């Protein structure tokens, strides 16, 4: 007998807001978090904007110089092994724990863990290795590894919050934190954990964003109000972002026993790989379609019941179309849900994206609205047959999907229901 | 050590690296690096360590004793210790080996180590082992009420201990009538007990032998002088330095102070260790483990005494 799983807390450090209230306001008003990012080379034909994270500064590797919003206290002993995205995640965790109403002994409990996803810190890796190779092994910062590697997120959160349950990291690139949420759902529905913090986080630096310019995946539009534009006919690529999102998954009976307020229910999830290419999505979206179909079957939901779909769509030509085809395939012959990509507002958070967008979707269900797909000047005609939300629609969704896809054709679809 | 002044770039880099230290500390680093001012290093070391501590306003390491433990007393964990080691390396421009860093436990260790390094002396780094009364009871054969060590520490060839005369020790009733004075014999007994602790803790490690607690015997003293009297309420501080270790004999020089004032000193305090039953059964008696009452005077001067056990004879065991 599977346990029912609900969301009891959310935490946000994102380009569109550092609190539930700010994020909700940005989603409702379609307020973009994209701005000129001075760290990027400000040259013609070069990406110049990013979904910047406000209220934090990381002027250099000396973590004693880092700053974050005053309402958070991070001890130096915790800080010294953190990367910027772990600082974001720490703050988002504090929010999520507060919203969920979990006491310290419930956070630090064998039945509470964290499913985490980040790409590690490319910045930290670069700087620490550079110093070691240039100045010698004994000049290597002692905490270079825990501060840098993929796994820095789960390692640091486990230590800082004294987590005692299942704590691990996922590495399926841009599907990572969606995978993390799916496996957290499994752990709880199989009664192996009561609470799991699903954490997605990424640095916001040239080191983790600019390499995507190598495959010409980044938008070079310099007007932050016009890019990225998923589903727009003239979209020219994605815009990077960083930050952290935390989704607290909890067994329904645990949440009810605590009297916790419930944000939304997680009904199930599905996953499938394209079996196609290391980077390019399978053009027909066959893999993503299987992930969505599997998710609906696992959740006991028919395609016609889905009201809203938060798309992975990042604003690249190939990716957006592949997803549109996948949606058509899944919902063929029936009602097709409203679709939007909130990445138009936030930018693409890579390993952060899945958890962040699941959190947005949960907020939309709880608050009874559907975020629009912003910055569409002219909808790509190839989207015909799919109701992309270019304008607000006055309807409260009951069931929603959140899609994520990553390198290697990793696809994840999450199913959430209004509580 | 650098004998050349820093380039402006090097100086700027040092200022950046140590910007969270006090201006005085940065100035001390630059004095050491630019003028080879060896006298600045202790200030550098204190200042660098202080940067990693949460000190109360006005609190400073300079006034803290050498015995201050980096871990227990200052809350420095192993990772912070690594940060400190790397910072001191950068400040003083020398490399601290891992084996040396691991042996640094107290402020005294840091200060002695750095002092050795900047003076070009071989590093005589020795860890400090500390003993509270409970642990002393587990090591020594002497037990209350005849144990005159409250706490002790062993650093290399040195042992330092202390004992507070509570006033309720039985001998005060008769030593003397209406005027309690610590018997000189008890003061030397306490020194002997500190020496016994060193023997039981160091000899097995250094010589690779097993040494039961009752296998340490007092042999004798070459010189002993008593300078002042101690009374109930006085805490005597006992210091011994091992000057010779060759089985079965250990020789110490030492002194006893109260509140920094010299109380007594001793040279050639000699203990024997090992299975000495043979010697005793042959009629050559030795005092059990440093008890001195048979040869000690009562007060004031202590008569130089020779043990009945000839060290040469013992050496042939």
């Amino acid at each position: 007998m599977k346990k029912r799983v609900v969301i009891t807390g959310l935490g946000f450090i994102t380009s569109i807001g550092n609190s539930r209230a700010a994020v909700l306001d940005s989603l409702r008003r379609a307020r973009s978090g994209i701005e000129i990012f001075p760290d990027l080379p400000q040259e013609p034909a070069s990406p110049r904007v990013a979904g910047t994270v406000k209220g934090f500064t990381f002027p250099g590797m000396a973590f004693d110089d880092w700053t974050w919003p005053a309402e958070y206290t991070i001890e130096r002993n915790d800080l010294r092994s953190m990367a910027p995205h772990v600082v974001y995640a720490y703050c988002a965790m504090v929010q999520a724990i507060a919203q969920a109403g979990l006491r310290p002994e419930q956070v630090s409990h064998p039945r509470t863990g964290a499913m985490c996803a980040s790409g590690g810190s490319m910045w930290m890796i670069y700087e620490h290795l550079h110093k070691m190779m240039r100045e010698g092994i004994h000049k290597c910062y002692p905490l270079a590894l825990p501060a840098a590697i993929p796994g820095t997120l789960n390692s640091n959160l486990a230590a800082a919050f004294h987590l005692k349950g299942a704590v691990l990291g996922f590495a399926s690139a841009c599907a990572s934190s969606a995978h993390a949420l799916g496996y957290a759902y499994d752990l709880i529905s199989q009664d192996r954990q009561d609470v799991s913090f699903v954490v997605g986080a990424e640095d916001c630096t040239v080191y983790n964003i600019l390499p995507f310019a190598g495959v010409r995946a980044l938008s070079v539009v310099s007007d932050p109000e016009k890019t990225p534009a998923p589903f727009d006919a003239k979209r020219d690529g994605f815009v990077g972002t960083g930050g952290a999102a935390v989704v607290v998954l909890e067994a329904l009976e645990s949440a009810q026993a605590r009297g916790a307020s419930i944000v939304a229910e997680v009904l199930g999830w599905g996953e499938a790989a394209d079996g196609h290419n290391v980077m390019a999505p399978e053009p027909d979206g066959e893999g993503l379609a299987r992930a969505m179909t599997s998710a609906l079957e696992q959740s006991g939901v028919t395609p016609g019941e889905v009201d809203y779909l938060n798309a992975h769509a990042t604003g690249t030509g190939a990716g957006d179309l592949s997803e549109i085809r996948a949606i058509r395939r899944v919902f063929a012959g029936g009602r097709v849900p409203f679709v939007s990509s909130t990445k138009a507002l936030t930018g693409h958070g890579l390993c952060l994206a899945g958890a962040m967008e699941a959190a947005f979707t949960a907020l939309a269900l709880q608050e009874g609205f559907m975020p629009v797909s912003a910055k569409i000047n002219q909808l790509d005609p190839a989207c015909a047959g799919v109701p992309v939300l270019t304008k607000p629609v006055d309807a409260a969704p009951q069931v929603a999907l959140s899609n994520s896809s990553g390198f290697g054709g990793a696809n994840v679809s999450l199913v959430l229901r209004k509580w | 050590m650098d004998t050349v002044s820093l380039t402006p770039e090097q100086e700027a880099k040092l200022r950046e690296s140590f910007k969270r230290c006090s201006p005085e500390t940065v100035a001390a680093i630059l004095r050491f690096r630019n003028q080879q001012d060896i006298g600045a290093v202790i200030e550098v070391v204190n200042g660098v360590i202080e940067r990693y501590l949460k000190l109360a306003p006005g609190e400073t390491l300079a006034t803290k004793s050498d015995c201050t433990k980096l871990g227990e007393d200052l809350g420095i964990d192993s990772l912070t210790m690594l940060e400190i080691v790397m910072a001191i390396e950068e400040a003083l421009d020398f490399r601290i080996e891992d084996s040396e860093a691991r042996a640094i436990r107290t402020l005294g260790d840091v200060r002695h180590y750095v002092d050795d390094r900047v003076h070009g002396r071989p590093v005589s780094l020795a860890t400090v082992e500390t003993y509270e009364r409970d642990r002393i009871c587990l090591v020594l054969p002497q037990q209350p009420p005849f144990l005159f060590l409250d706490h002790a520490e062993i650093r290399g060839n040195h042992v330092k201990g202390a004992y507070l005369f509570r006033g309720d020790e039985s001998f005060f009733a008769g030593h003397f009538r209406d005027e309690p004075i610590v018997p000189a014999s008890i003061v030397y007994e306490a020194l002997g007990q500190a020496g016994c602790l060193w023997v039981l803790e160091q000899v097995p490690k250094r010589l690779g032998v097993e040494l039961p607690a009752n296998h340490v015997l007092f042999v004798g003293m070459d010189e002993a002088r008593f300078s002042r009297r101690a009374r109930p309420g006085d805490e005597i501080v006992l210091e011994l330095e091992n000057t010779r270790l060759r089985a079965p004999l250990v020789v110490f020089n030492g002194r006893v102070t109260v509140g920094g004032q010299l109380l007594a000193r001793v040279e050639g305090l000699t203990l024997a260790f090992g299975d000495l039953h043979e010697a005793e059964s042959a009629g050559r008696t030795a005092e059990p483990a440093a008890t001195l009452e048979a040869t000690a005077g009562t007060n004031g001067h202590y008569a130089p005494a020779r043990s009945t056990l000839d060290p040469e004879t013992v050496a042939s065991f």
Side-chain angles (χ1 to χ4, degrees), chain B residues 154-172:
Chain B
I154 293 173
R155 176 204 294 275
N157 289 335
H158 296 262
V159 55
K160 190 173 177 182
Y163 179 75
L164 173 70
F165 288 99
R166 282 82 168 157
D168 60 359
E169 291 87 348
S170 61
F171 46 75
F172 283 125

Side-chain angles (χ1 to χ4, degrees), chain A residues 131 135, chain B residues 8-18 90:
Chain A
K131 186 175 174 69
E135 297 181 25
Chain B
E9 294 76 29
Q10 287 173 320
E11 185 170 323
K13 186 167 183 293
L14 278 175
R15 286 185 184 280
E16 173 64 21
S17 295
F18 294 94
E90 186 177 359

Side-chain angles (χ1 to χ4, degrees), chain B residues 207-228:
Chain B
L207 303 184
V209 296
E210 281 190 36
L211 189 58
N214 58 1
H215 280 201
V216 184
L217 303 179
F218 172 70
V219 174
M221 288 187 285
D222 293 341
E223 283 281 323
R225 284 286 178 273
F226 216 77
S227 310
R228 53 196 307 126

Side-chain angles (χ1 to χ4, degrees), chain A residues 1 12 36 67 76 113 134 139 177 192 199 208 210 233 265 275 284 305 318 327 349 375 387 390:
Chain A
M1 177 67 187
F12 299 98
I36 293 286
T67 63
R76 189 178 185 279
R134 197 179 50 214
K139 295 282 189 188
S177 62
R192 292 172 59 188
V199 188
N208 63 318
L210 199 50
E265 180 172 8
D284 291 334
E305 291 178 82
I327 293 167
K375 298 177 183 169
T390 53

Side-chain angles (χ1 to χ4, degrees), chain A residues 64-65 75-76 80 140 142, chain B residues 19-20 51 77 80 83:
Chain A
D64 288 301
D65 296 337
E75 294 294 331
R76 189 178 185 279
R80 63 188 174 180
C140 182
Chain B
K19 67 183 177 186
R20 284 175 189 277
R51 175 249 180 282
D77 67 9
T80 307
E83 288 189 86

Side-chain angles (χ1 to χ4, degrees), chain B residues 133 142-148 163 168-171 186 193:
Chain B
R133 195 166 166 89
Q142 291 92 339
Q143 299 291 309
F146 207 69
L147 176 61
F148 302 108
Y163 179 75
D168 60 359
E169 291 87 348
S170 61
F171 46 75
I186 294 296
Q193 291 182 0

Side-chain angles (χ1 to χ4, degrees), chain B residues 190-317:
Chain B
L191 262 181
Q193 291 182 0
C196 189
L197 182 70
W198 189 92
V199 171
L200 287 169
E201 288 293 279
Q202 292 291 310
V203 167
K205 283 183 211 163
R206 294 181 182 214
L207 303 184
V209 296
E210 281 190 36
L211 189 58
N214 58 1
H215 280 201
V216 184
L217 303 179
F218 172 70
V219 174
M221 288 187 285
D222 293 341
E223 283 281 323
R225 284 286 178 273
F226 216 77
S227 310
R228 53 196 307 126
R229 295 180 292 183
R231 299 169 189 277
D234 283 345
E235 184 181 54
I236 57 170
V237 175
L238 311 144
E239 293 170 85
L240 285 178
E241 181 184 10
N242 170 247
T243 58
R244 183 178 163 209
L245 168 62
R246 203 166 69 195
L249 293 180
V250 192
V251 183
F252 299 95
N253 291 335
R255 62 188 206 131
V256 184
T257 53
V258 172
Q261 305 259 14
L262 188 67
L263 189 78
R265 60 180 185 82
V266 60
E267 284 176 23
L269 190 156
T270 306
L271 302 180
F273 59 87
D275 185 355
L276 303 169
H277 285 295
E278 219 176 297
E280 288 178 316
S281 60
R284 305 183 186 95
T285 55
E287 292 295 329
T291 50
L292 295 171
E293 68 275 12
T295 50
T298 52
N299 190 25
H301 289 286
Y302 181 87
R306 278 276 175 195
S307 164
T308 52
L309 185 67
D310 182 345
E312 293 307 310
T313 311
V314 174
S316 65
F317 279 134

